[in-house]
Amino acid sequence: MTRTNDLILRTATSLLAFILFGFSIYLFFAGHSSPGGGFIGGLMTAAAIVLMYMAYGYDTMEKVIPVNFRMLTPAGLLIAVTTGIGSFIFGQPFLSHTFTYVHLPVLGEMELATAVLFDLGVYLTVVGITMTIILSIAEDR
Amino acid sequence: MLIAVLLPLFITLLIPFVSKFKQKFHTGIFVLLIPLGIFIYFVRYISEDFSPVSASYPWIPSIDISFDFYLDGLSLLFVLLISGIGTLVTLYSIYYLHKSEKLAHFYIYLLMFMTAMLGVVLSDNIYVLYSFWELTSISSFLLIGYWNYREGSRYGAMKSMLITVFGGLSLLGGFILLQLITGTTSIQEMIAQSDVILDSPYLPLILVLVLLGAFTKSAQFPFHIWLPDAMEAPTPVSAYLHSATMVKAGIFLIARFSPIFNAYEWFFIVVSGIGIITLCWASYMAVRQTDLKGILAFSTISQLGMIMAMLGFGTEAAVFAAVFHILNHATFKGSLFMIAGIIDHETGTRDIRKLGGLMTLMPISATLALFGTFSMAGVPLPFLNGFYSKELFFENSLHLDSGNLWLAEFLVQAVPYLAVFGSIFTFVYSMYLLFGTFTGKKNLDELPSKPHEAPLGMLVAPAILIAGVIIIGIFPNLLNENFLAHAALAVSGHEVHEHVHYWHGWDSPAFLMSLTVLALGTLLYVFRDKWTGIYKSIPGALSFNKVYDNLVAGLDRYSSSFTKGYMNGSLRRYMALIISTIFIVTLTVMLGTDGFSFSTDDLAEITAAEILVAAMMIVAAFGTIFPKNNIGVILLLGIAGYGLALLFVFYRAPDLALTQLVVETITVALFLLCFYHLPKLRPIKESKRVKITNLIISFAFGGMMTLVGIAAHSSKWFETISGYFIETSHDLGGGDNVVNVILVDMRGLDTLFEICVLGIAALSIYTMIKLRRNKEER
């Protein structure tokens, strides 16, 4: 299979991918107070990775991001369930969340919520499943 | 008493171990002790001043079910028949069944049946009675199918199972109704409340259900058809189940419940009517049979019909006669079956056309058969018990009291004639059975094996029964006061003082009827070649076996064609069925509850942009119905999806809009991928066939759902909970994005399982693709 020279695509990707990553991380962290959250953040991250796969190909990407995406799904589910179980330690019902405001030196007043940990589970799961589906279909020739 | 009932069932556990040694000693010898022990246990109760004994053992007390046993005269009669004939049948079977047969199976089924039968006759609790009742059906099924490698055995077992279980379930229905009316599960308490039952509007239904149970079990017309086919069973089984015990379970049931129903005038009409019809039809049909056991089967049916008729008469004398005949029938019919088994065993055939002239070869069997058949025919000789009960039957048929119903009056007129008619045929087949087998021309060449007299052990059991025939024949009042009177008391509810007379005198009408039977019967027997052609036209095609076969085959055929009719494997069809079912059910409910409503009260303003997007989506949606190609459809679906995302934006749902945009993109991409991978062979650009029905269904369903949506919007009964979420999301959840706070905090459990769903989907896609590849590599 002869490949065309996709210099423009690769150059654009190397820039766009970081913007997309950044945007997805913003969406994830902003989720508790503004539109966004684990689900859409995860999808956006997956989109960035898929873009890179499209531009650089399968073999290169395996070196660049040596992550088995299939393992992200159980990892995410584990985190989500663990945050639920964690509330048992404090004698609370399953999946009870709490939050607190702390004053950090640089960032100023910050909200830390256990719900974000749960959202992290969602995030990882979504990245994992999206990548698993797309990659397993793509590998299937 | 519980031990006595359940003993055989527990002994079955030991049979497999005992039968290991069957080469050394026959398993039956071990089994023999059990019915004998039970017989001895119960025979001690026979005495003149017997009074009912009851015992109760809890089973399921919370719903009033316990092993209530009640031993009165009627139960005692049956218990002694079951255990006594059980002993003799076991003895007989030791010689009848060879050691190479599966003895353990046989005796396990037999003992199971014995427990079931003892339970039926001793239970006072209707549900316990029903449980044992079904156990008799099951064990009888197993026994009939004992030689399960034979087609006929399987057919007969299946038939008896279907018919008796049909009756058993009807009986259960009747029992449940009885319990609802009386509030008790005890039969004796129901009898005490019989006026409550007689006043109940459900009485006819109860009577029909209970009688269905009794008639199917006791092989009454037209449910008698299973009994002749049950003759495929080994002969000890036929002798035990199908002459003396199980077929009398229905008789027992009617006798047991007759104190309740006796006062109801339809009881007489139905029970006596069916009984007398059974008597006539079965005795008429018995003459036609060529198989020895076939004759005996129809004979049993007709004798059961006679007992049934007498129970229906309901007078004290008739009840006494019925009880008396139960005993008599068990003695002579049991012995006749055993003799038929001996003949089968010694000659290799039961076909009466091949048999003949066995008198000199098998003199003892012939003598026993002589007494048995003459007693069955009711030949007026003072040493045959069958004669007395037949005479009592005639006597009672003449003294019937008709109620107000014209049908009852008609029946009262008809009964004596029908009784004589049935008895004439009884006489004919009895003579045919005896003389056809033992006299006439010897054709030894046609017989499969050379006939000779049976071993002595095989003859003991029928000899004891025939001894019973003669003893009761010579001393007919021997058991009256201390035994039969108690049984009759239990059935009729009154003291019965009946004395069986040897001689009624020349002018007694019953005796004249007996003489008529004798004369006409002899005449018909002698000239039977002349008239048996009648069987070709009657019953001819009017056979109930054909009805049964057609019913079973037809049910099979129609149910399978019905299933094939709608389960045609087409998903489109199922979809249409599901959608139209939802439509019909929803429409019915909405119309039935007056659920449609329409109100424009709290509708928001519609903006031009919304209209524009909506119009775009509608056009796109309609576009999917008329595709030029599949890519077009996929893209149009994408338009509809993005339109939805736009609407989410208008309705201020940014999270939904974001998610919808991304998900729609992925979906479209996946659709395109699927399209790309579609096999080449399949026609891709197939224009959809426009089916009018599908169109109607979809329009109806869509319209319906629109109406339901409008109705749901127009009738809000509660304030929504959303106010609470908005107020507390910041303070309790620590976030300002209410949607996100709901997703991860307030309703986090839903989200947890949604990501589980996603994980499972990913896993399934992965495995589906990988496993398929592995398969191809192989």
Side-chain angles (χ1 to χ4, degrees):
Chain A
M1 195 163 106
T2 57
R3 291 188 69 109
T4 52
N5 188 351
D6 42 9
L7 180 67
I8 299 176
L9 177 64
R10 289 186 176 194
T11 315
T13 302
S14 60
L15 195 65
L16 281 175
F18 282 105
I19 299 174
L20 279 172
F21 273 128
F23 185 53
S24 70
I25 290 163
Y26 161 75
L27 277 176
F28 170 69
F29 280 112
H32 217 46
S33 306
S34 319
F39 194 84
I40 190 70
L43 283 175
M44 206 59 87
T45 307
I49 299 170
V50 168
L51 183 63
M52 287 159 80
Y53 265 88
M54 283 161 70
Y56 296 109
Y58 198 84
D59 300 332
T60 320
M61 280 311 293
E62 272 197 331
K63 285 173 198 144
V64 174
I65 310 179
V67 174
N68 185 354
F69 292 107
R70 289 195 298 279
M71 294 310 293
L72 289 182
T73 311
L77 287 171
L78 192 68
I79 292 173
V81 173
T82 315
T83 51
I85 292 170
S87 55
F88 289 148
I89 297 169
F90 304 99
Q92 296 292 318
F94 187 67
L95 271 177
S96 303
H97 289 303
T98 183
F99 62 95
T100 181
Y101 294 96
V102 292
H103 198 82
L104 292 175
V106 184
L107 299 163
E109 182 141 284
M110 267 293 291
E111 183 213 354
L112 288 182
T114 52
V116 174
L117 283 174
F118 184 79
D119 232 6
L120 181 68
V122 176
Y123 175 85
L124 288 177
T125 311
V126 171
V127 174
I129 65 119
T130 318
M131 292 315 296
T132 306
I133 292 171
I134 289 173
L135 288 184
S136 38
I137 292 174
E139 273 178 69
D140 182 46
R141 297 247 157 76
Chain B
M1 220 182 284
L2 184 73
I3 297 168
V5 171
L6 296 184
L7 179 72
L9 201 59
F10 288 126
I11 293 295
T12 56
L13 299 175
L14 296 178
I15 298 275
F17 303 106
V18 176
S19 73
K20 287 254 192 304
F21 310 104
K22 71 177 179 183
Q23 293 304 330
K24 289 196 186 122
F25 81 104
H26 199 283
T27 317
I29 296 169
F30 169 72
V31 175
L32 187 62
L33 299 172
I34 293 131
L36 189 64
I38 297 171
F39 183 76
I40 291 168
Y41 175 80
F42 280 108
V43 87
R44 298 174 305 137
Y45 284 100
I46 295 184
S47 69
E48 203 153 323
D49 50 355
F50 169 79
S51 64
V53 185
S54 63
S56 182
Y57 309 89
W59 183 18
I60 316 173
S62 57
I63 49 171
D64 202 10
I65 294 179
S66 50
F67 285 103
D68 294 325
F69 291 127
Y70 183 79
L71 181 75
D72 60 358
L74 184 67
S75 306
L76 189 63
L77 168 67
F78 275 90
V79 164
L80 290 178
L81 279 182
I82 293 159
S83 54
I85 296 184
T87 313
L88 297 176
V89 160
T90 316
L91 178 67
Y92 176 77
S93 71
I94 293 171
Y95 293 90
Y96 185 84
L97 286 176
H98 194 257
K99 283 173 182 173
S100 58
E101 301 269 10
K102 289 187 214 153
L103 292 181
H105 291 227
F106 181 79
Y107 287 110
I108 286 173
Y109 302 156
L110 197 73
L111 288 176
M112 219 163 95
F113 172 77
M114 210 176 281
T115 283
M117 211 51 220
L118 289 172
V120 164
V121 299
L122 284 172
S123 295
D124 188 43
N125 189 298
I126 45 174
Y127 295 113
V128 175
L129 196 160
Y130 172 74
S131 308
F132 283 118
W133 183 276
E134 291 298 27
L135 189 60
T136 62
S137 296
I138 293 165
S139 47
S140 152
F141 169 78
L142 291 168
L143 282 166
I144 296 169
Y146 178 64
W147 287 315
N148 53 24
Y149 46 83
R150 291 187 191 165
E151 174 75 38
S153 288
R154 296 198 299 270
Y155 173 78
M158 173 93 159
K159 195 175 191 175
S160 75
M161 184 77 167
L162 284 176
I163 293 176
T164 52
V165 169
F166 161 73
L169 287 174
S170 307
L171 183 65
L172 180 62
F175 279 171
I176 291 171
L177 279 177
L178 276 174
Q179 193 206 353
L180 287 178
I181 292 169
T182 59
T184 172
T185 55
S186 159
I187 297 170
Q188 292 306 317
E189 283 173 35
M190 281 177 189
I191 291 172
Q193 297 186 40
S194 63
D195 48 341
V196 178
I197 298 167
L198 287 174
D199 286 340
S200 160
Y202 295 111
L203 182 61
L205 185 60
I206 293 172
L207 190 70
V208 166
L209 290 174
V210 171
L211 290 185
L212 265 180
F215 286 168
T216 50
K217 201 72 159 182
S218 280
Q220 298 295 295
F221 185 89
F223 306 109
H224 62 275
I225 49 172
W226 66 267
L227 192 59
D229 283 305
M231 292 302 128
E232 291 293 332
T235 303
V237 173
S238 309
Y240 190 34
L241 274 68
H242 307 127
S243 71
T245 53
M246 190 179 86
V247 287
K248 293 209 175 95
I251 303 275
F252 169 80
L253 192 77
I254 295 208
R256 180 52 94 210
F257 281 90
S258 71
I260 298 178
F261 297 126
N262 214 347
Y264 185 46
E265 49 198 355
W266 281 96
F267 178 77
F268 162 68
I269 295 172
V270 178
V271 175
S272 290
I274 294 286
I276 207 93
I277 290 170
T278 310
L279 166 65
C280 295
W281 180 253
S283 57
Y284 168 74
M285 290 295 283
V287 181
R288 189 170 93 134
Q289 305 300 314
T290 53
D291 179 27
L292 287 183
K293 280 172 83 176
I295 299 174
L296 289 173
F298 275 102
S299 150
T300 303
I301 298 168
S302 81
Q303 301 279 332
L304 292 171
M306 176 172 146
I307 299 171
M308 201 64 97
M310 285 193 278
L311 284 175
F313 295 168
T315 57
E316 283 160 36
V319 165
F320 176 81
V323 171
F324 191 40
H325 195 66
I326 289 172
L327 180 66
N328 294 342
H329 176 246
T331 54
F332 65 70
K333 192 52 66 66
S335 64
L336 283 177
F337 265 109
M338 290 175 187
I339 290 160
I342 288 171
I343 293 166
D344 185 16
H345 207 258
E346 302 306 329
T347 64
T349 183
R350 297 198 310 251
D351 193 330
I352 199 160
R353 288 167 300 187
K354 292 184 189 162
L355 296 165
L358 294 178
M359 193 157 63
T360 50
L361 294 166
M362 304 171 77
I364 303 175
S365 307
T367 316
L368 295 177
L370 176 79
F371 284 107
T373 45
F374 272 45
S375 179
M376 179 160 77
V379 175
L381 291 171
F383 52 89
L384 295 171
N385 58 7
F387 164 61
Y388 301 123
S389 40
K390 184 136 290 179
E391 190 115 302
L392 284 172
F393 174 54
F394 288 149
E395 178 104 13
N396 283 303
S397 70
L398 290 169
H399 300 100
L400 287 177
D401 183 23
S402 73
N404 298 322
L405 292 166
W406 66 270
L407 201 58
E409 278 174 40
F410 172 72
L411 196 60
V412 166
Q413 298 296 321
V415 160
Y417 296 101
L418 288 171
V420 170
F421 175 82
S423 300
I424 291 169
F425 281 95
T426 306
F427 186 87
V428 174
Y429 70 69
S430 302
M431 295 307 116
Y432 182 45
L433 186 69
L434 179 68
F435 294 118
T437 315
F438 291 104
T439 63
K441 190 163 63 73
K442 285 183 207 171
N443 35 4
L444 300 179
D445 304 334
E446 282 182 39
L447 296 177
S449 55
K450 197 175 177 304
H452 52 79
E453 187 55 88
L456 200 61
M458 218 167 178
L459 289 166
V460 169
I464 291 173
L465 286 173
I466 292 297
V469 168
I470 297 170
I471 290 170
I472 299 173
I474 297 174
F475 309 107
N477 294 306
L478 184 67
L479 294 169
N480 269 5
E481 285 302 315
N482 49 14
F483 186 43
L484 295 175
H486 295 298
L489 165 68
V491 179
S492 65
H494 304 284
E495 290 282 342
V496 178
H497 296 288
E498 190 70 19
H499 191 80
V500 184
H501 298 282
Y502 292 99
W503 182 246
H504 288 275
W506 286 108
D507 52 349
S508 149
F511 187 70
L512 292 179
M513 283 159 89
S514 283
L515 285 182
T516 317
V517 169
L518 189 64
L520 283 176
T522 314
L523 211 62
L524 275 181
Y525 172 68
V526 171
F527 296 106
R528 72 179 185 286
D529 295 338
K530 305 261 189 286
W531 60 272
T532 40
I534 195 174
Y535 285 107
K536 287 196 179 98
S537 50
I538 304 169
L542 193 97
S543 161
F544 288 95
N545 280 315
K546 272 190 189 138
V547 174
Y548 166 83
D549 287 338
N550 287 338
L551 207 66
V552 171
L555 207 63
D556 214 24
R557 204 167 48 245
Y558 287 116
S559 62
S560 89
S561 72
F562 175 73
T563 311
K564 277 182 193 149
Y566 75 93
M567 298 283 282
N568 63 352
S570 154
L571 291 179
R572 286 165 184 244
R573 165 74 76 85
Y574 300 159
M575 201 65 209
L577 284 177
I578 291 168
I579 301 276
S580 24
T581 308
I582 297 174
F583 171 73
I584 291 165
V585 170
T586 317
L587 188 72
T588 320
V589 170
M590 292 298 274
L591 288 178
T593 57
D594 200 16
F596 290 115
S597 62
F598 185 76
S599 109
T600 54
D601 285 347
D602 49 293
L603 291 183
E605 292 261 337
I606 304 170
T607 63
E610 284 164 10
I611 292 173
L612 203 66
V613 174
M616 182 182 82
M617 288 172 72
I618 289 169
V619 170
F622 268 104
T624 58
I625 306 174
F626 313 102
K628 286 279 180 284
N629 54 38
N630 287 353
I631 292 187
V633 173
I634 294 168
L635 295 179
L636 283 170
L637 274 177
I639 291 176
Y642 289 130
L644 189 62
L646 265 179
L647 282 182
F648 284 145
V649 171
F650 291 150
Y651 296 148
R652 288 174 293 163
D655 292 278
L656 288 183
L658 275 172
T659 314
Q660 171 68 23
L661 269 176
V662 180
V663 168
E664 188 61 41
T665 311
I666 292 175
T667 321
V668 169
L670 286 177
F671 270 133
L672 287 172
L673 203 65
C674 293
F675 173 72
Y676 180 77
H677 283 291
L678 276 181
K680 291 278 183 287
L681 288 172
R682 204 172 288 171
I684 300 165
K685 294 180 182 176
E686 181 203 34
S687 69
K688 274 183 191 162
R689 279 177 294 162
V690 179
K691 284 185 177 170
I692 302 294
T693 44
N694 283 359
L695 195 72
I696 292 169
I697 289 172
S698 9
F699 267 102
F701 187 71
M704 167 66 118
M705 283 299 135
T706 312
L707 287 177
V708 169
I710 290 170
H713 185 266
S714 305
S715 50
K716 276 189 182 132
W717 292 354
F718 310 103
E719 277 297 305
T720 58
I721 198 177
S722 54
Y724 171 82
F725 288 139
I726 293 165
E727 279 165 25
T728 57
S729 93
H730 185 85
D731 297 338
L732 293 180
D736 293 319
N737 183 351
V738 181
V739 174
N740 190 265
V741 170
I742 291 173
L743 281 180
V744 299
D745 196 339
M746 293 168 170
R747 296 275 173 84
L749 199 64
D750 297 351
T751 312
L752 182 63
F753 286 105
E754 274 154 24
I755 58 178
C756 286
V757 169
L758 290 177
I760 291 165
L763 200 65
S764 339
I765 289 170
Y766 181 75
T767 47
M768 236 158 65
I769 288 167
K770 296 294 170 189
L771 287 181
R772 183 166 62 79
R773 287 188 68 180
N774 286 343
K775 215 173 218 172
E776 275 172 9
E777 277 160 19
R778 253 180 247 154

